[in-house]
Amino acid sequence: METSSRFNARLARRFYNRDPQQVARDLLGKVLVRREGTELLAGRIIEVEAYLGQDDPAAHSYRGKTPRNAVMFGPPGFVYVYFIYGNHYCFNVSCLPEGEAGAVLFRALEPLQGIEKMAAARGLSAAGDPRLLTSGPGRMAQALGITRERDNGKDLTSAASDLWIARDGFRRPQVLITPRIGITQAAERPLRFVIAGNRFVSGRRALNQEPS
DNA sequence: GGAGCGATGTCCT
DNA sequence: GGACATCGCTCCG
């Protein structure tokens, strides 16, 4: 039986049925939630990137639909997970109506709940720097136990899903927009969205524009 | 603190 | 055969 929690208000399909840039912007401050048995793992969304489908050379969907990227062409609100560099999983959500490709990549969370389990999944101590748990797309996926085998194609809006995104009344954040990280195609386009000044933002200080 | 680089699966040319 | 939406380790200053 589901226990009540502060993370019950799932975002609905229509939230995702928009341009990925709009979805990315509005995801900041929401909460990504994973149910692991009786426990919830939850983190505030701090950093995301928009991928624009067939207009965007950096997007996996740029060259058309394949078995790997099919979720990006499907209906909005579904989980697209891919494996990269032989080591890491990356978590995305599909945007736009079925037939139109688009997605948002999640790059960093601020851990809110289930920190012990996240640390264990990362092979780290829960007493260490919490930024090592979920700052960076590969780290975040590992902390939440996200894999392609387990999660690709899941519906984030389904009440039956063990993965969803909630609104919890967090104040609409100040947003910083920058170029995306780690890409070579269309590398200059401003499609990365971060909560301004947040310490859980991934990557280098120069790219985050954070003070020392 | 920061640059350099290896690991290693999957897809595309 | 090369690129890749990454990470963590080594080495250098």
Side-chain angles (χ1 to χ4, degrees), chain A residues 81-147:
Chain A
V81 181
Y82 64 87
F83 193 60
I84 191 71
Y85 296 120
N87 284 294
H88 306 288
Y89 291 97
C90 291
F91 173 88
N92 304 250
V93 60
S94 64
C95 302
L96 297 169
E98 179 153 22
E100 288 185 60
V104 174
L105 168 70
F106 287 52
R107 293 192 52 89
L109 305 177
E110 174 179 352
L112 297 177
Q113 185 170 314
I115 290 175
E116 297 280 342
K117 281 213 164 191
M118 293 185 198
R122 294 267 303 119
L124 299 172
S125 162
D129 186 340
R131 288 176 290 193
L132 293 177
L133 299 180
T134 52
S135 290
R139 291 169 175 166
M140 188 202 92
Q142 188 177 34
L144 296 183
I146 288 166
T147 67

Side-chain angles (χ1 to χ4, degrees), chain A residues 27-39:
Chain A
L27 279 171
L28 294 178
K30 303 299 190 296
V31 182
L32 177 60
V33 189
R34 161 75 99 186
R35 187 192 301 112
E36 286 278 15
T38 59
E39 193 169 347

Side-chain angles (χ1 to χ4, degrees), chain A residues 10 12 22 32 74 97 110 186 189:
Chain A
R10 291 185 191 228
Q22 196 65 52
L32 177 60
E110 174 179 352
R189 297 187 67 172

Side-chain angles (χ1 to χ4, degrees), chain A residues 6-7 9-11 15-16 18 20-34 41-50 79 91-93 104-113 118 134-137 140 144 146 156 163-176 191-202:
Chain A
R6 54 195 271 229
F7 306 129
R10 291 185 191 228
L11 300 183
F15 179 92
Y16 304 102
R18 297 180 290 158
Q21 295 172 84
Q22 196 65 52
V23 176
R25 166 67 182 80
D26 290 347
L27 279 171
L28 294 178
K30 303 299 190 296
V31 182
L32 177 60
V33 189
R34 161 75 99 186
L41 312 184
R44 180 92 49 211
I45 300 167
I46 300 301
E47 174 181 353
V48 293
E49 289 176 357
V79 176
F91 173 88
N92 304 250
V93 60
V104 174
L105 168 70
F106 287 52
R107 293 192 52 89
L109 305 177
E110 174 179 352
L112 297 177
Q113 185 170 314
M118 293 185 198
T134 52
S135 290
M140 188 202 92
L144 296 183
I146 288 166
L156 285 179
L163 204 50
W164 69 92
I165 298 171
R167 64 176 93 244
D168 70 343
F170 189 74
R171 175 201 157 99
R172 185 174 172 83
Q174 289 276 346
V175 174
L176 193 64
L191 293 171
R192 173 173 175 257
F193 301 78
V194 308
I195 295 184
N198 190 283
R199 63 193 284 264
F200 288 88
V201 167
S202 76

